[in-house]
Amino acid sequence: MTLFTLPEDQIAIRDMARDFAAERIAPFALEWDEKKHFPVDVMREAAALGMGGVYVREDVGGSGLTRLDAALIFEALSTGCPTTSAFISIHNMASWMIDSFGSEEQRQEWLPRLCTMELLASYALTEPGSGSDAAALRTTARRDGDHYVLNGSKQFISGAGAGDIYVTMVRTGGEGPSGISTLIVPGDTPGISLGANERKMGWNAQPTRLVAFEDCRVPVANRLGDEGIGFKIAMAGLDGGRLNIGACSLGGAQAALDKALAYMRERKAFGKRLDEFQALQFRLADMATELEAARTFLYSAAAAYDRRDPNTTRLCAMAKRFATDVGFEVANQSLQLHGGYGYLSEYGVEKIVRDLRVHQILEGTNEIMRLIVARSLIGR
């Protein structure tokens, strides 16, 4: 990639995802939100185009693309529906963890069906008593011969109930990060139970539930890597996940801004179109500028990830914080520019605002992003 221009192949990837979003996602997004419909069939169509295993290696059916390619894809998909794009991102993150840390047997067993989204993957780290303090998780996995016996629960799990596997962080050792391991837990394992589908402000087109484990027996063969490296695996997944959720914010915000521009060309007040008022023109200019700055920063962080820059974790945290804050603010301002109509569901802007709000919380809250950056700067 040249410094300021995407090459033709990346433009083609972005345009493919954007066209898919316009044709197969955007026309149905409001209905999915209202009915809390999880569009698995449409996501499998996206997977058939290579979006089910974006940065999974090609020998197991992945697309073998870069993190910058992924950012372009999830941004484009989010112009249709941030919620749907975000779940595909989470599925990709969990699949990548198996591809990167799993054995060859694990890769061959799970990834071909994950890349087609025949199987859906969820990421299970957060617990009712440990959100930002993820290293304090309490779900235990006690070794019993060739199995682990799991007890505990995970909270706010996207895709729970519909998911076929849960890439789950469990405590196999003592306190702190070094006692955590990662297991692939099939969704039909006896002893798994689910909470109710949470009633949420946004993200209604994907289920979110508590997942409880009671004496669940999971083969030791389902462990990713050695015991005690699970926290490292979880954090490695989150570096990329933060890029993806930032990209989802960019796509949703761009859709909201485009809606505002279209509305302001048609709506008149005091004898003039709204887009003829200089004060509103300045607001649009600031929104577009902030969005472009966030996009440039996110792409730069994704490129740093691809070249294995030593500052990748810090840059991903910075980009996630900035892109999700800007994305929500641009969407919120777009709603304001619609006036009372922005508050009506049929215009689609209020859904984007609701969907993007949670991006400032998940994949690590933006307060935690500041903590990561600060610690990096002062050498802790």
Side-chain angles (χ1 to χ4, degrees):
M1 185 186 82
T2 58
L3 190 56
F4 298 112
T5 305
L6 294 174
E8 289 185 4
D9 59 338
Q10 288 183 317
I11 292 172
I13 290 169
R14 179 198 65 192
D15 290 350
M16 175 270 296
R18 186 179 293 169
D19 290 344
F20 182 84
E23 295 170 9
R24 298 295 297 129
I25 297 177
F28 314 103
L30 291 177
E31 180 183 357
W32 294 343
D33 176 75
E34 181 180 355
K35 296 182 178 179
K36 295 189 175 181
H37 173 68
F38 192 36
V40 175
D41 55 340
V42 174
M43 292 191 293
R44 286 176 176 155
E45 291 179 33
L49 297 174
M51 292 182 269
V54 175
Y55 34 83
V56 170
R57 282 173 278 176
E58 295 177 83
D59 66 305
V60 287
S63 297
L65 299 177
T66 68
R67 294 308 178 114
L68 179 53
D69 295 326
L72 296 170
I73 287 170
F74 295 123
E75 179 184 356
L77 290 177
S78 290
T79 61
C81 175
T83 304
T84 304
S85 180
F87 180 78
I88 297 174
S89 159
I90 292 166
H91 171 90
N92 269 269
M93 178 173 70
S95 300
W96 172 83
M97 291 165 70
I98 296 172
D99 188 40
S100 296
F101 296 96
S103 66
E104 192 57 34
E105 291 76 16
Q106 289 168 337
R107 294 181 67 247
Q108 295 296 334
E109 179 179 0
W110 300 107
L111 288 171
R113 290 178 291 166
L114 288 169
C115 289
T116 62
M117 297 188 80
E118 174 189 343
L119 300 181
L120 301 180
S122 294
Y123 175 85
L125 172 64
T126 300
E127 298 187 356
S130 61
S132 294
D133 187 11
L137 66 84
R138 296 294 176 192
T139 296
T140 59
R142 177 180 55 83
R143 184 77 177 259
D144 181 23
D146 292 334
H147 287 77
Y148 288 104
V149 181
L150 274 63
N151 283 282
S153 59
K154 298 293 181 177
Q155 180 67 294
F156 305 130
I157 305 306
S158 294
D164 298 285
I165 67 166
Y166 301 95
V167 178
T168 308
M169 271 47 72
V170 295
R171 188 162 300 283
T172 52
E175 297 295 314
S178 62
I180 296 171
S181 302
T182 302
L183 298 178
I184 303 170
V185 182
D188 59 358
T189 302
I192 289 181
S193 60
L194 302 169
N197 190 7
E198 301 286 2
R199 297 174 62 189
K200 308 186 295 290
M201 175 180 175
W203 267 33
N204 290 319
Q206 58 167 283
T208 303
R209 291 184 170 90
L210 177 142
V211 180
F213 307 101
E214 184 176 358
D215 293 332
C216 293
R217 296 182 66 83
V218 177
V220 172
N222 284 23
R223 189 185 67 221
L224 293 182
D226 296 330
E227 279 197 0
I229 68 166
F231 194 74
K232 171 189 171 183
I233 293 173
M235 293 303 104
L238 283 177
D239 275 348
R242 288 163 182 162
L243 292 172
N244 293 347
I245 208 65
C248 290
S249 288
L250 296 178
Q254 185 64 59
L257 177 58
D258 291 343
K259 289 177 183 292
L261 287 166
Y263 176 79
M264 292 170 70
R265 291 188 189 103
E266 298 177 358
R267 176 76 171 179
K268 288 188 176 182
F270 307 104
K272 297 168 64 176
R273 294 198 322 265
L274 292 186
D275 63 3
E276 294 180 304
F277 289 91
Q278 190 177 67
L280 299 184
Q281 291 174 354
F282 284 2
R283 185 181 299 191
L284 289 169
D286 286 345
M287 292 160 64
T289 301
E290 290 291 305
L291 192 55
E292 193 60 37
R295 180 177 290 118
T296 302
F297 192 179
L298 189 94
Y299 291 1
S300 176
Y305 189 114
D306 287 329
R307 67 174 181 268
R308 300 186 180 182
D309 189 293
N311 294 314
T312 291
T313 294
R314 181 176 75 189
L315 290 169
C316 289
M318 287 177 168
K320 189 269 181 182
R321 199 284 299 169
F322 190 62
T324 57
D325 281 351
V326 167
F328 176 75
E329 183 58 25
V330 168
N332 198 38
Q333 288 293 329
S334 297
L335 188 154
Q336 186 73 17
L337 289 169
H338 278 77
Y341 292 103
Y343 208 65
L344 302 181
S345 61
E346 64 191 89
Y347 283 77
V349 184
E350 61 85 32
K351 174 193 177 296
I352 297 173
V353 173
R354 289 188 287 107
D355 285 348
L356 296 195
R357 181 60 184 88
V358 76
H359 295 192
Q360 296 168 293
I361 298 172
L362 52 80
E363 308 286 17
T365 66
N366 284 2
E367 289 74 21
I368 293 296
M369 297 306 98
R370 291 176 172 90
L371 185 61
I372 291 169
V373 173
R375 286 178 171 176
S376 174
L377 292 172
I378 64 179
R380 286 184 58 188

